[in-house]
Amino acid sequence: MMMRAWLMAGAMLAGATGAEAQDPGPAGPIQYDVRFPNAVHHEARITVTYRGLRAGPARFQMARSSPGRYALHEFAKNVYSVSATDGAGRPLAVTRTDPYGWSVAGHDGTVSVAYTLYGDKGDGTYAQIDGSHAHLNMPATFLWAAGYDERPIRVRFHAPDPKWKTATQLPEGREANSFWAPDLHYFMDSPTELSDFDMREWQVGEGARRQTIRLAVHHQGSAADLDRFAAKTRRVIEQHFAIFGGPPRFDHGRYTFIADYLPWATGDGMEHRNSTIITDTRSLAEADFAQIQTLAHEFTHAWNVERIRPAELEPFDFTRANPTPSLWLAEGFTSYYGPLTVRRAGETPVDDYLAELGATLSGVVNAPARRYGSPQEMSLRAPFVDAARSIDPVNPHIFVSYYPYGAVVALALDLSLRTRFPERSLDDYMRTLWRTHGEPEKPYRPDDLRVALAQVTGDEAFARAFFTASVEGSSLPDFAPLLAQAGLTLRPARAGRGWLGATRVAAGAGGVTLAEPPVPDSSLYKAGVERDDMILSLGGAAVADVPGWTAALDRLRPGERVELVFRQLGREQRAILVAAADPAVEIVRDEMAGKAVTPAQRAFRAAWLGADAGG
């Protein structure tokens, strides 16, 4: 029933002719009133009223997870000064028996709960309240009563500054500064920004599919900066439309980018059904408009994960971590397409794009974690790594993020399709997923993804082999011949350089210590060197500071034998190390590598990376 409510919410909104069609109004069953009497100290005072409650105690609780996140966040820690009254305004006893909620008994069918919320983290997961804005992720902000998820909700904001406006995917209500949602799930998926932001908006689509894109930016830059960013945004999202065949049907006919580019925000991006919230500590000009990369990633989610959706996330459960084995596609393929849409829009020079792609590929193909699990396994580790914190250290070599891992799987599949099936590409695969699972909003299971690949290629054996090797297993293809089809060379990034298995060190009062565990089976690893060991000398040269360590590494050549002197657990030790070739790789155009490029290679490159990338 909860899944149907989630899917029906979009249909209800899309079919509404105006906000008043379903606005429950001030007499509706669930009402939130949000005030900011102490914003300067990061507090909001929120009252929620439930009418028509069933007999018996009502449980009010805070979420422990948030849409788009896959770990626990324990939002109840920021809620205090909780009180309750009944429909006649009489005080009610509030009982707390666990960390996540409060119980209210003895009511007359109506309960109003008032509480104070503290919020001072401006990102996609939490809330930030201060004298400049109220940046609200709904699960981090609002208590709700268990058992009434299907009821419509109305919220009214009382801004402390008359200049503040409201940006949200929630439709407007009948009263000023009021908004509504058809149910709890849509409400919780609707981040909201109250501030003196700047707005740019434009139309996309034609006829009945005509919709509005809104760009609401709270920043300290100029109007000209925002105009330039809006123009970039328009060019980039046109590339998204080209991949999927046009925009989705946004509920209520609009999609809203909500952006905070402020020194007191935290860099982040978080997708939602009809909006995304993006944060950065830099202004647009300071970042040279690099925020377009996060925007492109998050907008890809309007299709991939918000509508092409893993079945394991339906219904989303706000009380626990929500795992799925398909984050390699939901997040990883999104990580592939975000930069690619920016490249195709002409906003990233081809050599810059290839440099970033090469770094991603190098990190994944050389990741020791691949021996411990496939992309599906890494997806299921999300609750341990997705902004989740643990006190004890974990082995850093058993996990490679499903973001770059999935992006490399996407690269492998895209190039394999273009090479083996010249009329097909990853774009065709994503359009197939859109038609079979996105537009009908039919959540997919892992095996549905293999079935879709067989449908695209007409080759069941190819689809099964690819998924067995690179999705259920951890094998990756030889990228050199695949990239060669586009006139690109895969080569060592630091040819002739020796490598010991770790490079990062930290300077401390006592000297230089290794700042990362060595890669398994590397020379440092075999010698028993560990993170936090103090480096005293390498190759006979004393290491007194970070530049000294860097210089010693720069002198190393593959196959060279050097003595390392280090201190571990208070004891000085010596080891003979044998340098290996640095495994890092990079991707460059053949022209940069002194090779001739054929017309066929230029055409392949242009079809993949954009018309201006062919050279």
Side-chain angles (χ1 to χ4, degrees), residues 532-563:
D532 297 330
D533 288 353
M534 183 169 292
I535 307 299
L536 302 178
S537 69
L538 180 65
V543 176
D545 50 29
V546 174
W549 169 254
T550 301
L553 290 183
D554 287 344
R555 290 190 292 268
L556 283 178
R557 295 295 175 261
E560 183 177 352
R561 295 170 62 87
V562 291
E563 183 182 51

Side-chain angles (χ1 to χ4, degrees), residues 82-401:
V82 180
S83 62
T85 59
D86 66 9
R90 293 182 292 263
L92 295 170
V94 177
T95 304
R96 191 174 192 180
T97 58
D98 63 72
Y100 316 112
W102 297 259
S103 181
V104 181
H107 59 78
D108 56 2
T110 295
V111 172
S112 291
V113 175
Y115 61 97
T116 298
L117 175 80
Y118 181 88
D120 190 24
K121 188 171 178 63
D123 68 354
T125 305
Y126 298 98
Q128 185 171 62
I129 302 159
D130 55 41
S132 73
H133 70 165
H135 168 105
L136 307 176
N137 181 39
M138 301 322 219
T141 305
F142 292 104
L143 279 171
W144 85 95
Y148 304 92
D149 297 2
E150 76 286 353
R151 293 187 179 184
I153 291 171
R154 175 181 174 273
V155 58
R156 189 171 186 186
F157 299 102
H158 302 268
D161 187 328
K163 294 181 180 179
W164 286 15
K165 306 175 288 292
T166 305
T168 180
Q169 71 178 27
L170 294 170
E172 293 85 354
R174 288 193 284 264
E175 293 183 297
N177 303 315
S178 69
F179 301 84
W180 62 276
D183 55 31
L184 179 71
H185 281 81
Y186 195 90
F187 181 70
M188 287 295 204
D189 191 49
S190 302
T192 299
E193 165 79 12
L194 287 85
S195 65
D196 186 19
F197 57 79
D198 293 321
M199 177 78 84
R200 301 290 185 271
E201 60 181 70
W202 60 93
Q203 301 292 303
V204 297
E206 301 294 336
R209 298 298 294 264
R210 195 158 182 80
Q211 302 179 94
T212 300
I213 302 293
R214 304 190 301 180
L215 180 62
V217 181
H218 183 203
H219 66 135
Q220 296 180 317
S222 69
D225 288 342
L226 184 53
D227 287 338
R228 183 178 173 189
F229 189 62
K232 289 176 178 288
T233 299
R234 295 183 70 161
R235 288 191 289 270
V236 167
I237 68 174
E238 285 297 328
Q239 295 301 320
H240 288 83
F241 298 159
I243 293 165
F244 292 100
R249 287 188 180 273
F250 299 123
D251 302 332
H252 221 64
R254 66 192 183 199
Y255 184 95
T256 305
F257 294 102
I258 305 170
D260 284 288
Y261 300 143
L262 302 164
W264 50 92
T266 302
D268 196 16
M270 182 54 60
E271 76 279 359
H272 297 273
R273 182 175 171 86
N274 303 294
S275 64
T276 191
I277 195 156
I278 309 169
T279 54
D280 198 306
T281 59
R282 303 164 297 174
S283 71
L284 290 165
E286 288 171 339
D288 194 22
F289 300 90
Q291 291 94 340
I292 196 68
Q293 295 287 348
T294 306
L295 183 146
H297 176 102
E298 301 304 334
F299 194 58
T300 307
H301 279 311
W303 294 268
N304 189 25
V305 89
E306 288 300 331
R307 292 166 174 85
I308 305 172
R309 194 162 175 82
E312 296 83 8
L313 301 184
E314 294 292 352
F316 191 88
D317 188 340
F318 298 105
T319 67
R320 63 175 180 86
N322 289 251
T324 170
S326 298
L327 290 182
W328 62 271
L329 184 130
E331 292 291 355
F333 276 39
T334 299
S335 294
Y336 176 71
Y337 270 110
L340 185 57
T341 55
V342 179
R343 160 81 288 277
R344 288 176 177 175
E347 296 296 330
T348 302
V350 65
D351 289 332
D352 291 353
Y353 173 79
L354 293 175
E356 186 64 31
L357 183 65
T360 300
L361 178 60
S362 182
V364 172
V365 298
N366 290 312
R370 287 201 298 121
R371 73 180 69 179
Y372 297 103
S374 67
Q376 289 184 333
E377 166 67 19
M378 299 305 165
S379 297
L380 289 173
R381 293 190 67 83
F384 308 135
V385 297
D386 182 39
R389 295 185 178 184
S390 57
I391 296 174
D392 62 316
V394 298
N395 188 335
H397 296 307
I398 65 170
F399 176 74
V400 56
S401 171

